[in-house]
Amino acid sequence: MNTRNIVMVDNLHKIYGSGEAKTNALNGISMSVKEGEFVAIVGTSGSGKSTLLHIIGGIDNSSEGKVLIDGVDISELSENEMIKFRRDKIGYIYQDYNLIPILTVKENIYLPASLSGGDVETDYYDQIVEELELSEKENVFPNELSGGQQQRVAIARALINKPDIILADEPTGNLDKENSEKVVNLLKRIKANHKQTIILITHDYNVAKEADRIIRIEDGKLENE
Ligand SMILES: Nc1ncnc2c1ncn2[C@@H]1O[C@H](COP(=O)(O)OP(=O)(O)OP(=O)(O)O)[C@@H](O)[C@H]1O
Ligand SMILES: [Mg+2]
């Protein structure tokens, strides 16, 4: 494996709200992830996992500390640079899917490619859609899908641009065992083929154990630190 750190997180703090509503969601997290590595993040509900992933993906800002992606401090990017960076480098699977309700399944999956103006290999699209068992749902809208189907659309959308980094927030949270295994196998194969780096949050030990490394978060800190 390459030894380059593609993601470096330095002393990250996140405070939400103020006064009585103040929550210290992250309390000084430092970690790094190597290019091509598959890291699972585990921890109890409310421990700060989604907050950490949002900040790594440039979706939210930290209160203190730094995130370097490929050596670039993402807090120093302009708004436009950040949009381009997210679009080109990151595939994000949101915990609540974030599908666009007025777009069909196919349009949702193609969205990152449409936005970046890049071509998508039809074969690659077909392969993902088939593997995620969405072929029969391509022309329906998200509100006509089950939770697990919506989740699989969100996964397909995150993969379509072959991003360098896949940030997956409980991508199998709504799937049964068989579909969870399929998703994990798909991620692992994509990683093997395209050397993608995967940071994946999960509550499922069967998913976490497939990762190269498991990171545990408790109360906004890495455990054992
Ligand atoms: N937008 C927000 N405003 C205020 N507090 C927030 C916000 N988002 C998260 N928090 C708080 O920050 C803490 C960490 O939340 P986070 O969503 O990162 O947890 P999590 O580990 O992803 O939990 P889960 O496993 O339930 O998804 C929690 O105490 C939560 O209440
Ligand atoms: Mg979460």
Side-chain angles (χ1 to χ4, degrees), residues 144-163:
E144 299 165 63
L145 299 175
S146 72
Q149 288 164 343
Q150 291 179 49
Q151 184 149 48
R152 283 177 277 139
V153 175
I155 294 167
R157 182 180 59 180
L159 300 179
I160 196 76
N161 269 355
K162 297 185 180 163

Side-chain angles (χ1 to χ4, degrees), residues 30-53:
S30 299
M31 57 179 258
S32 46
V33 177
K34 294 193 189 311
E35 187 174 31
E37 197 177 15
F38 173 9
V39 171
I41 297 180
V42 303
T44 52
S45 178
S47 57
K49 305 179 298 296
S50 294
T51 302
L52 174 63
L53 211 63

Side-chain angles (χ1 to χ4, degrees), residues 16-17 21 23-25 43-52 60 95 169-170 201 203:
Y16 288 113
T23 304
N24 292 292
T44 52
S45 178
S47 57
K49 305 179 298 296
S50 294
T51 302
L52 174 63
D60 200 357
Q95 189 165 13
D169 198 343
E170 309 228 16
I201 295 171
H203 279 112

Side-chain angles (χ1 to χ4, degrees), residues 74-90:
I74 61 170
S75 70
E76 290 180 0
L77 299 179
S78 69
E79 205 171 312
N80 278 339
E81 285 170 335
M82 181 62 96
I83 290 169
K84 190 168 161 7
F85 156 82
R86 282 218 306 265
R87 197 184 63 197
D88 298 343
K89 275 211 179 291
I90 310 259

